[in-house]
Amino acid sequence: MLYAGVAMTLNSPLRHVVAAGALAGFLMLNPMALGCGEDGSESGYQFGAEEMSAVVVGSWEGRVRYEGREPVSFELAMEPASATGASSGSLRQALCGERTLVAAAQACLATSELDVVAVLRDGEHEAVEMEGTLVAYGAELSMGELTLYGAGRLWRVQMEEGALAPAGEVRDQQSGEALGSFDLARRDDVAR
């Protein structure tokens, strides 16, 4: 008999009130559910993995200036990380973590990420393996940031107008302390 009473209660207008309350609670706890696009699909993006790869893949060179030391020339070779051998995170381990922050719907920003692997050669060290991510902000491939991790250092350079900026910064991977800066140019561009 108790079962019949519960069934009658759920078929009553109270059921609609409970459903509306659950929906309202969901939207209050996750305002981005409706603020970040119509259906969550990739419609509206004007680039893909190939265009992102073209921004970073290839041979680069530059000079890194660590605080209080003479500049050191370097060469950097980057390529996309393989899908099957996804990065282990071992080089990025100090910065790993998971958290979720609830933000207002107007704070929603579309991002695209391309994982890369790289080899850095300079006059002071053996070849240093690096891994990182190119992050593009928005539906157009215009603004973003490349971050590389390796040998306890974090290398960061902005992407402006769909190309890497000609200079970036080097920080300690553990503490985040600024260690220096670097110039960066694609080797093909230097020869021209």
Side-chain angles (χ1 to χ4, degrees):
M1 193 66 171
L2 178 62
Y3 177 76
V6 171
M8 284 184 71
T9 303
L10 292 179
N11 287 329
S12 68
L14 179 61
R15 185 177 95 176
H16 298 290
V17 172
V18 170
L23 179 60
F26 173 76
L27 292 176
M28 285 185 348
L29 293 175
N30 187 5
M32 293 186 295
L34 297 177
C36 286
E38 298 166 9
D39 60 3
S41 70
E42 292 191 13
S43 63
Y45 285 95
Q46 299 179 11
F47 64 93
E50 188 174 314
E51 290 82 4
M52 285 187 77
S53 291
V55 172
V56 293
V57 170
S59 297
W60 300 80
E61 63 184 19
R63 293 174 62 122
V64 61
R65 289 177 261 344
Y66 294 110
E67 307 268 334
R69 296 173 42 198
E70 291 294 317
V72 176
S73 296
F74 68 87
E75 295 179 2
L76 180 67
M78 282 190 280
E79 62 185 51
S82 68
T84 56
S87 68
S88 64
S90 61
L91 299 176
R92 294 186 244 189
Q93 191 170 17
L95 300 177
C96 290
E98 292 182 28
R99 66 184 195 165
T100 302
L101 303 175
V102 177
Q106 62 267 28
C108 182
L109 176 66
T111 61
S112 300
E113 296 182 9
L114 175 73
D115 286 337
V116 296
V117 292
V119 175
L120 174 73
R121 291 182 176 82
D122 65 25
E124 294 185 340
H125 303 95
E126 296 290 322
V128 174
E129 292 183 12
M130 303 179 88
E131 62 184 44
T133 305
L134 174 65
V135 178
Y137 306 122
E140 295 180 11
L141 186 60
S142 179
M143 304 299 285
E145 180 176 74
L146 171 67
T147 307
L148 296 171
Y149 306 86
R153 297 199 169 111
L154 177 149
W155 291 53
R156 181 179 303 154
V157 62
Q158 298 297 310
M159 178 176 65
E160 302 166 350
E161 298 180 16
L164 294 182
E169 65 179 353
V170 181
R171 294 189 169 271
D172 181 272
Q173 186 172 336
Q174 294 289 334
S175 69
E177 175 187 351
L179 299 175
S181 61
F182 62 91
D183 298 324
L184 185 66
R186 194 180 290 269
R187 291 189 86 187
D188 295 342
D189 292 344
V190 173
R192 292 179 189 174

